[in-house]
Amino acid sequence: MMRTRPLKVALLGCGVVGSEVARIMTTHADDLTARIGAPVELAGVAVRRPDKVREGIPADLVTTDATALVKCGDIDVVVEVIGGIEPARTLITAAFEHGASVVSANKALLAQDGAALHAAAEANDTDLYYEAAVAGAIPLIRPLRESLAGDKVNRVLGIVNGTTNFILDKMDSTGAGYQEALDEATALGYAEADPTADVEGFDAAAKAAILAGIAFHTRVRLDDVYREGMTEVTAADFVSAKEMGCTIKLLAICERAEDGGSVTARVHPAMIPLTHPLASVRGAYNAVFVESDAAGQLMFYGPGAGGAPTASAVLGDLVAVCRNRLSGTTGPGESAYAALPVSPMGDVVTRYHISLDVADKPGVLAQVATVFAEHGVSIDTVRQQGKDGEASLVVVTHRASDAALGGTVEALRKLDTVRGVASIMRVEGE
């Protein structure tokens, strides 16, 4: 039987995403009512600039007092799309304490304080949903914590930042340098005026922490994620990648150790074979590749950012949370029973592509090969080109630990015949 009393929703933030949430709630009101089993009512919108014209939102709903809005006592669901750590953390906690469930898109806060927020939600018998925090419109959080709840996930490998993928795709397809590709991304609106969070991997690292925590039933915080940006990737790196039948992507990689006793989470540029599904992800799109025992290999693909795509994920969570409110239940909370340790980056084992500037004379290759052997790093292939006394030496290794590779590189720098290390890049997806 349809309930006539509406479920009241408070919206915190009315920017690109928040305005789309409000629009969809209004234009799709009848459909949402039918799907939920009760009407949903936008009861208030907290903003920083109340004088700004917001089409479709009655002026009497707009407030600058977000605290009063979440504490008013008759709010069923708080939708938080303001981002950042504070005041979002305080407002979300207050919402729980006053009986409201929360739908959030706040990846930074969840990566830093997810455990505390989950605990607050559970203590107050409320929900915390956050599909929109990772990969925009792509359904990913719910499949990991619900559809694959009976499976064992071993690896999550993904492109989770559209800005960086656009830049790298441009470098790959046109031969442009990093700055040129970044300038185009900025002009088209794919990159912020200050792109640091994207190009230095902070955004992807927060998402990796969330994905690893859900996939491995283990608390993984932002500080646990190894992060390396993509600002040092050059057009020459793409030439080398193409010679190997690869391209370059900024990847978020979450892995369970082979013995199952630990996990790792990392973000960095990597070469991946052109045959891998992630290699064909173009432009500002996102894609995540999941490997599990029973389901095998799964890939989730779609727009990873933008107002409407992200709002789609928010509204999906809103429907789920409202249904829970009507039935007097809550959805899945935090699952951290495994409590696996997070291994440092030095323990991570992968392949490497190393480009060296060396003297073009006899014996150099033998010296370099000896250094690799002394540090227990096996060489897969070597390619050398040179003239006029200078040469480039490209070495691709078999799988080796990051620590072993680091020791190798330090030793190589001490050789008189090695002029410099031009680039080091991991090779993934094989």
Side-chain angles (χ1 to χ4, degrees):
M1 181 176 178
M2 183 75 68
R3 193 180 91 164
T4 57
R5 184 174 69 81
L7 292 157
K8 293 189 175 183
V9 177
L11 178 60
L12 307 183
C14 198
V16 174
V17 176
S19 59
E20 280 295 309
V21 171
R23 182 189 67 79
I24 295 171
M25 285 184 64
T26 302
T27 58
H28 295 182
D30 291 342
D31 287 336
L32 292 173
T33 297
R35 293 167 190 172
I36 292 169
V40 287
E41 174 188 315
L42 189 59
V45 181
V47 300
R48 287 182 296 180
R49 294 175 295 186
D51 297 332
K52 181 179 177 181
V53 176
R54 294 173 173 85
E55 186 176 347
I57 299 177
D60 61 345
L61 292 183
V62 177
T63 178
T64 57
D65 194 345
T67 301
L69 180 60
V70 301
K71 289 183 176 181
C72 70
D74 64 347
I75 298 296
D76 293 287
V77 185
V78 170
V79 174
E80 182 273 310
V81 288
I82 56 178
I85 305 303
E86 289 292 357
R89 174 170 48 198
T90 298
L91 292 169
I92 289 174
T93 302
F96 291 141
E97 292 171 349
H98 286 77
S101 291
V102 172
V103 173
S104 176
N106 196 329
K107 54 189 171 287
L109 179 57
L110 288 159
Q112 179 172 305
D113 289 321
L117 295 178
H118 276 292
E122 182 178 0
N124 291 281
D125 198 26
T126 53
D127 273 323
L128 173 62
Y129 276 52
Y130 44 91
E131 184 68 65
V134 180
I138 304 172
L140 184 58
I141 301 297
R142 192 171 287 114
L144 280 175
R145 72 176 184 175
E146 296 182 32
S147 304
L148 296 175
D151 205 343
K152 179 183 177 184
V153 176
N154 297 310
R155 196 175 197 224
V156 179
L157 175 76
I159 299 164
V160 295
N161 183 278
T163 300
T164 56
N165 198 61
F166 178 88
I167 293 170
L168 292 173
D169 182 37
K170 222 16 116 167
M171 293 175 70
D172 183 30
S173 60
T174 69
Y178 167 76
Q179 190 60 51
E180 182 182 351
L182 172 60
D183 290 344
E184 182 172 351
T186 304
L188 292 172
Y190 291 123
E192 301 286 346
D194 179 1
T196 302
D198 295 322
V199 300
E200 293 295 352
F202 291 101
D203 175 84
K207 296 170 181 176
I210 295 169
L211 292 174
I214 296 170
F216 306 134
H217 304 278
T218 290
R219 286 178 179 168
V220 179
R221 299 181 73 250
L222 181 58
D223 292 345
D224 296 320
V225 181
Y226 172 83
R227 177 194 56 79
E228 183 182 317
M230 49 158 279
T231 57
E232 300 301 317
V233 177
T234 67
D237 290 326
F238 276 98
V239 172
S240 294
K242 288 179 180 179
E243 290 174 348
M244 290 179 57
C246 292
T247 188
I248 299 171
K249 300 291 186 181
L250 184 77
L251 298 178
I253 305 170
C254 312
E255 292 180 305
R256 188 190 299 269
E258 290 185 5
D259 63 5
S262 64
V263 299
T264 58
R266 50 198 165 100
V267 168
H268 54 71
M271 295 182 179
I272 58 172
L274 294 175
T275 53
H276 194 282
L278 291 180
S280 61
V281 179
R282 317 296 295 194
Y285 275 71
N286 283 193
V288 177
F289 201 71
V290 177
E291 300 175 12
S292 67
D293 276 1
Q297 297 179 332
L298 307 170
M299 184 164 159
F300 301 84
Y301 169 85
T310 305
S312 171
V314 170
L315 267 295
D317 279 351
L318 179 63
V319 169
V321 168
C322 286
R323 287 171 175 170
N324 291 344
R325 300 285 287 193
L326 289 179
S327 62
T329 62
T330 56
E334 182 188 33
S335 176
Y337 73 90
L340 297 170
V342 182
S343 296
M345 187 62 186
D347 293 347
V348 170
V349 175
T350 188
R351 298 177 66 209
Y352 291 87
H353 176 284
I354 304 101
S355 179
L356 304 172
D357 295 325
V358 299
D360 186 18
K361 61 183 183 180
V364 173
L365 180 56
Q367 286 183 329
V368 169
T370 298
V371 170
F372 276 88
E374 289 174 347
H375 288 80
V377 179
S378 176
I379 293 175
D380 181 16
T381 62
V382 178
R383 185 175 69 255
Q384 183 173 357
Q385 294 178 324
K387 62 180 181 178
D388 300 328
E390 299 296 330
S392 63
L393 188 66
V394 175
V395 178
V396 180
T397 74
H398 288 290
R399 289 171 61 83
S401 72
D402 191 77
L405 197 281
T408 303
V409 171
E410 286 303 309
L412 288 171
R413 295 183 193 276
K414 296 177 182 178
L415 293 178
D416 292 338
T417 51
V418 174
R419 310 295 193 222
V421 179
S423 69
I424 304 170
M425 193 166 294
R426 296 168 184 87
V427 182
E428 301 284 348
E430 295 184 317

